[in-house]
Amino acid sequence: MSKKFHLAISVIDIEQSVEEYNERLGRPADVVVPGEYALWRTKELNFSIRKTAPGEGGRLRHLGWEDSEAKFFTCDKDCNGILWEEFSASQQAAEIKSAWPETDYKPGKNKDKKSKKNKLDEPPEEPAS
């Protein structure tokens, strides 16, 4: 069984946040939906950001677990009212595709650790010959 902690926060500016979190996490986002959403899947952490209204940035959206053995995408609230989700990487990818049908995100697709940005509207790089 493989579990990663999931943390989701709200942000005001996706592009600025992606630049900063790419630096903080030492790697590019696995998927960026311009102006809306971004996700990083590191060895230890599943971290996402989503655009919110001005004055709402920097707030916790929810917590959870990316669990390779999760049979379903589930969510419930704890005794403090915090929403917790549990999902597999492929279930999360399906949720992303459902929210933003134009995405082509697949878990494990982003292997380039040196790139600063990984936006959906940028064409993939050609392999070196």
Side-chain angles (χ1 to χ4, degrees), residues 19-63:
E19 285 185 34
E20 180 166 340
Y21 295 132
N22 282 349
E23 292 296 320
R24 288 184 181 272
L25 296 170
R27 63 182 309 281
D30 289 85
V31 63
V32 175
V33 179
E36 296 292 327
Y37 176 86
L39 169 69
W40 291 260
R41 292 180 67 242
T42 72
K43 184 178 175 183
E44 302 83 17
L45 179 67
N46 178 305
F47 175 60
S48 67
I49 60 174
R50 192 163 183 174
K51 183 175 176 143
T52 192
E56 302 283 318
R59 294 189 181 171
L60 175 68
R61 293 183 50 243
H62 57 267
L63 299 171

Side-chain angles (χ1 to χ4, degrees), residues 15 18-19 29 31-35 115 117-124:
E15 284 71 22
V18 166
E19 285 185 34
V31 63
V32 175
V33 179
S115 172
K117 293 185 181 182
N118 183 23
K119 294 192 178 182
L120 294 173
D121 55 352
E122 294 176 359

